[in-house]
């Protein structure tokens, strides 16, 4: 579904390699785990990239730290002072990551967070020393509030998924996966704003164009799917609700061209499928993922994925985070029947 004559992606493998250099020794090289029971259910060999075990509890530290280190390097190179502050808007995980990265460099951080964000994520942002600024749970409110904070503080905005340094940082996941599992045939990545799947796609398609890259998305917030089908950026103006709180946001102008040209397909899953997949990872793998991280497994276990050729046998699923609000697990009691 790539558009002919389209502009090249705004970043390439070189930027991902630069991010890898900046992050070396500063983040975890997360493990790639397997589960025979889930292999049987999927009819394929599944490889789980455990970013829930990453610093700050999600993959987001990769992009946030690369962005902050890029800023610091650029200021040092030009002899300028460090930024007065860094600012972002986030459903929680990028906010934690940017707060952590900024704290390490001694830079104040201001994080705009929807009032509906899980309490555990809000608490963690404060624990990293950042100032939390509440907003309404919409892309418009997030962006407008962050813009106001930038003006008030004189800070630098580090967008959670459209900032190129953030996208490049997330792409380092792919470099690790290709080293850990050279036999991989496909990577399945949850998508919200698209920073992670875009970064991964840039790296994968540069190094191993034969490897498929799938984005996975809740059907209630399917802007990435709609954009891919229509061939143009199609944001959800009135998104539905989803248990996968970290992917409620829309893809944007920097991630969309990469998704359009390099992501092979977008798979959508229901709320019930996400809940069941999350339950299965908890029960079978003993990994406390957040529901957003269940979206990838839900896609691989879905009927849609049965159409993927059987020679796509080794499938990596990115378990993107584990920041679970344990006080808000009422949905567990709503699951109809046990996971099979």
């Amino acid at each position: 579904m790539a558009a002919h004559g389209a502009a090249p992606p705004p970043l390439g493998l070189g930027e991902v390699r630069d991010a890898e250099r900046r992050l070396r020794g500063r983040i975890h090289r997360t493990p790639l785990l397997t589960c025979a029971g889930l292999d049987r259910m999927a009819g394929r060999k599944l490889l789980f990239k455990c970013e829930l075990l990453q610093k700050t509890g999600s993959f987001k530290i990769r992009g946030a730290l690369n962005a902050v280190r890029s800023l610091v390097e650029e200021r040092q190179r030009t002899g300028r002072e460090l930024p007065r502050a860094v600012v972002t808007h986030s459903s929680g995980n990028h906010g934690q990551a940017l707060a952590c990265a900024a704290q390490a460099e001694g830079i104040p951080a201001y994080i705009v967070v929807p009032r509906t964000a899980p309490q555990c994520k809000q608490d963690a942002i404060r624990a990293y020393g950042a100032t939390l600024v509440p907003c309404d749970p919409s892309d418009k409110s997030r962006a407008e509030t962050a813009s106001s904070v930038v003006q008030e503080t004189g800070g630098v905005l580090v967008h959670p998924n459209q900032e190129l340094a953030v996208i490049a940082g997330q792409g380092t996941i792919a470099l690790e996966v290709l080293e850990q599992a050279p036999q991989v045939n496909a990577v399945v990545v949850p998508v919200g704003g698209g920073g992670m799947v875009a970064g991964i796609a840039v790296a994968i398609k540069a190094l191993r164009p034969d490897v498929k890259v799938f984005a996975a998305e809740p059907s209630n917030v399917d802007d990435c799917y709609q954009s891919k089908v229509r061939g143009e950026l199609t944001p959800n103006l009135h998104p539905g609700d989803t248990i996968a709180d970290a992917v409620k946001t829309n893809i944007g102008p920097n991630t969309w061209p990469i998704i359009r040209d390099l992501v092979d397909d977008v798979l959508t899953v229901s709320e019930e499928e996400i809940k069941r997949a999350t339950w299965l990872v908890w029960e079978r793998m003993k990994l406390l993922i957040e529901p957003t991280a269940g979206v990838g497994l839900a896609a691989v276990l879905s009927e849609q994925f049965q159409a993927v050729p059987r020679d796509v046998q080794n499938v990596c699923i990115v378990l993107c985070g584990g920041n679970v609000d344990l006080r808000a697990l009422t949905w567990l009691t709503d699951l109809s029947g046990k996971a099979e």
Side-chain angles (χ1 to χ4, degrees), residues 57 59 64 66 78 104 124 146 154 189 191 206 226 228 247 272 298 317 334:
F59 73 97
N66 187 49
T78 57
V189 188
V191 60
Q226 295 296 339
K228 194 77 164 157
V247 290
E272 189 73 10
I317 299 170
D334 299 334

Side-chain angles (χ1 to χ4, degrees), residues 228-245:
K228 194 77 164 157
V229 167
R230 298 179 188 192
E232 61 182 2
L233 187 59
T234 309
N236 279 324
L237 300 179
H238 305 287
D241 198 19
T242 177
I243 192 170
D245 62 274

